[in-house]
Amino acid sequence: MPLTANKNDNKGSAVPELGIPPVDKPEVEAAEIKPAAAESKPAAVTDEVAPQGAVEAAAPAQAECQPKKWPAVISFVITALAWIALPLSEIATLVLGIAGLITSIFALRQPRGAWRNLTLVALVAAAVLLLVLIIFWGGILYVLGTL
């Protein structure tokens, strides 16, 4: 059975390729997660209020997945400075390009999102800059060697 993007095609059927059984009542699974202290309360109260243990357990997991924008911004700024320094000094461009490439690699360790996309842009820009320098100086040295 092919997987489709439409969720209404196969509500009641299982996905055999992934081994996922169909879910009849998602409310039953949510009730099983509630802690033992919440079971003593009336059903009307426990349905409206989230269990305290589940909220406390979810907070650290969400904090770990939050994107960190400063490594992405720093890598982008270093790479932009390297491109700005290109017509001024090849040594500064080389140093800033390598620094931008390294900081971009370290900044990739974050969840997918806008900040990771900015890091990818900085990584590609730093790699292209270093490639430009290598081709430029390689061409100059090759021409000087043939004279």
Side-chain angles (χ1 to χ4, degrees), residues 1 3 21 28-30 34 45 49 56-57 69 73 81 87 98 101-103 110 117 121 127 145 147:
M1 168 170 64
L3 297 175
V28 174
E29 291 179 358
K34 295 179 183 177
V45 174
V49 179
E56 292 172 357
K69 67 178 180 178
V73 171
L81 287 175
I98 292 172
L101 187 71
I102 291 171
T103 55
Q110 57 185 334
N117 291 342
V121 168
L147 292 176

Side-chain angles (χ1 to χ4, degrees), residues 9 20 32 41-42 45 61 69 74 78 85 89 104 117 124 127 138-139:
D9 284 350
I20 301 173
E32 293 173 1
K41 296 179 181 178
V45 174
K69 67 178 180 178
I74 289 171
I78 291 173
S89 170
S104 296
N117 291 342
V124 169

Side-chain angles (χ1 to χ4, degrees), residues 52-109:
Q52 186 66 19
V55 173
E56 292 172 357
Q62 289 177 352
E64 293 173 4
C65 294
Q66 293 296 324
K68 298 167 185 71
K69 67 178 180 178
W70 292 114
V73 171
I74 289 171
S75 64
F76 182 76
V77 167
I78 291 173
T79 304
L81 287 175
W83 275 99
I84 292 170
L86 183 60
L88 305 175
S89 170
E90 66 276 354
I91 302 299
T93 301
L94 181 66
V95 169
L96 287 171
I98 292 172
L101 187 71
I102 291 171
T103 55
S104 296
I105 291 171
F106 284 121
L108 280 176
R109 299 183 61 202

